[in-house]
Amino acid sequence: MKDMGFTLEKIVPWGRSLDEYVAMFDLTERDMESRILGCADGPASFNAEMREAGRRVVSVDPMYQFSAGQIRERIDETFVEVMEELRKNLDDYVWNRFASAEALGAHRMRSMKRFLGDYEKGKEEGRYVVGGFSELPFREWEFDLALCSHFLFLYSEQLSGDFHCRAIEEMCRVAGEARIFSLLTLDRRMSPHLEGVCERLRRVGLEFEIKTVDYEFQRGGNKMLRVWREKT
Ligand SMILES: C[S@@+](CC[C@H](N)C(=O)[O-])C[C@H]1O[C@@H](n2cnc3c(N)ncnc32)[C@H](O)[C@@H]1O
């Protein structure tokens, strides 16, 4: 795997739920029936909840090289820290979906527990696959839709513009369409890579649009980038 150097100590696990994925990515019934790849899904319960609803999603993340026990331990190590940080910056968030920091924390914990409960079985079923953006371990057109929430653009300071472009091209190689939410960095600025990414998409002939969606938690973070390519 090319995305080497990945260690659990560098990661703060924080997982979102199915209803959040539906809102962030504006998923329709038709989307939900399609072949979905969740990139950088980490400890989100999207995959587990879709499975419970009788649907199949494949999630890919370098984190899946670790066992449920190791991931649980990392969640327990970091949860209090994340909540403290959140309480210091309450005004950076919109409190309509979650009434309070405590409600948000409880929701995140429920999602991550749901993920952990499904993880080992999901691995056996090929629903949790070890891999990263440098080279997604899938065939061309293996999926209809590739999603990425809270990784690309969010870590713009740590990840280069070129990394972003290649990651999105990889998503569009394995799926006909990619959706990335949101476009903000950790400090709530529009990603400095967005313009360069859009230029590159135009150059390589990928279609794209920026869409406002019905999800805003990070204040101002209610836009997703949708990129697609025509079958040739
Ligand atoms: C903030 S979490 C987001 C989890 C989930 N998408 C959500 O919104 O709840 C970011 C995820 O990116 C994953 N990640 C880190 N490096 C990666 C890489 N090179 N390729 C793909 N995923 C990566 C981490 O393991 C982590 O699970």
Side-chain angles (χ1 to χ4, degrees):
M1 191 179 82
K2 278 197 195 161
D3 299 71
M4 288 305 284
F6 181 94
T7 63
L8 211 46
E9 292 72 44
K10 287 189 195 159
I11 290 297
V12 178
W14 205 234
R16 290 165 187 79
S17 56
L18 170 61
D19 62 318
E20 294 183 272
Y21 267 64
V22 168
M24 291 186 295
F25 295 113
D26 202 17
L27 295 177
T28 61
E29 265 307 302
R30 194 163 167 206
D31 291 333
M32 310 260 277
E33 279 162 18
S34 70
R35 297 167 303 165
I36 298 181
L37 175 68
C39 302
D41 264 353
S45 59
F46 173 57
N47 192 322
E49 290 186 71
M50 284 288 272
R51 173 78 166 78
E52 282 165 31
R55 291 173 160 144
R56 183 182 160 89
V57 166
V58 174
S59 297
V60 60
D61 195 302
M63 178 194 269
Y64 301 151
Q65 65 193 273
F66 299 102
S67 68
Q70 288 171 307
I71 298 173
R72 180 180 297 114
E73 216 170 278
R74 186 65 191 148
I75 293 172
D76 292 342
E77 270 168 20
T78 53
F79 188 76
V80 174
E81 247 170 70
V82 180
M83 290 303 294
E84 270 169 17
E85 207 46 44
L86 190 84
R87 283 192 197 95
K88 280 189 221 155
N89 301 296
L90 289 179
D91 289 345
D92 288 352
Y93 302 97
V94 177
W95 296 99
N96 54 6
R97 180 173 286 268
F98 305 103
S100 62
E102 289 62 41
L104 170 80
H107 188 80
R108 289 279 169 276
M109 204 40 133
R110 259 196 313 278
S111 296
M112 293 192 282
K113 284 192 172 150
R114 221 157 168 177
F115 157 79
L116 286 170
D118 178 56
Y119 180 59
E120 297 297 354
K121 182 160 164 265
K123 259 181 152 177
E124 278 166 29
E125 293 175 359
R127 288 186 290 110
Y128 295 107
V129 176
V130 182
F133 278 114
S134 310
E135 198 176 313
L136 294 172
F138 306 104
R139 292 187 315 275
E140 197 177 355
W141 295 112
E142 199 167 331
F143 299 93
D144 301 304
L145 185 55
L147 308 175
C148 175
S149 127
H150 293 90
F151 179 67
L152 293 173
F153 297 126
L154 187 65
Y155 298 103
S156 287
E157 207 174 296
Q158 293 82 354
L159 304 167
S160 70
D162 191 53
F163 179 95
H164 280 75
C165 293
R166 286 168 190 268
I168 296 170
E169 285 171 35
E170 261 300 90
M171 290 170 84
C172 288
R173 178 183 67 79
V174 302
E177 184 180 330
R179 296 183 197 176
I180 296 126
F181 181 90
S182 79
L183 310 180
L184 296 190
T185 61
L186 279 174
D187 55 3
R188 291 199 299 117
R189 285 177 303 127
M190 191 56 84
S191 167
H193 299 317
L194 184 62
E195 212 178 298
V197 164
C198 292
E199 259 168 43
R200 167 100 153 242
L201 294 175
R202 271 187 214 105
R203 246 191 348 262
V204 299
L206 286 166
E207 307 284 331
F208 66 90
E209 65 170 350
I210 290 173
K211 208 171 169 190
T212 301
V213 295
D214 190 21
Y215 183 98
E216 183 179 359
F217 181 54
Q218 219 188 354
R219 199 173 286 284
N222 62 349
K223 290 190 173 49
M224 80 159 163
L225 175 66
R226 190 170 87 84
V227 186
W228 66 98
R229 64 168 171 148
E230 304 301 337
K231 228 169 191 163
T232 47

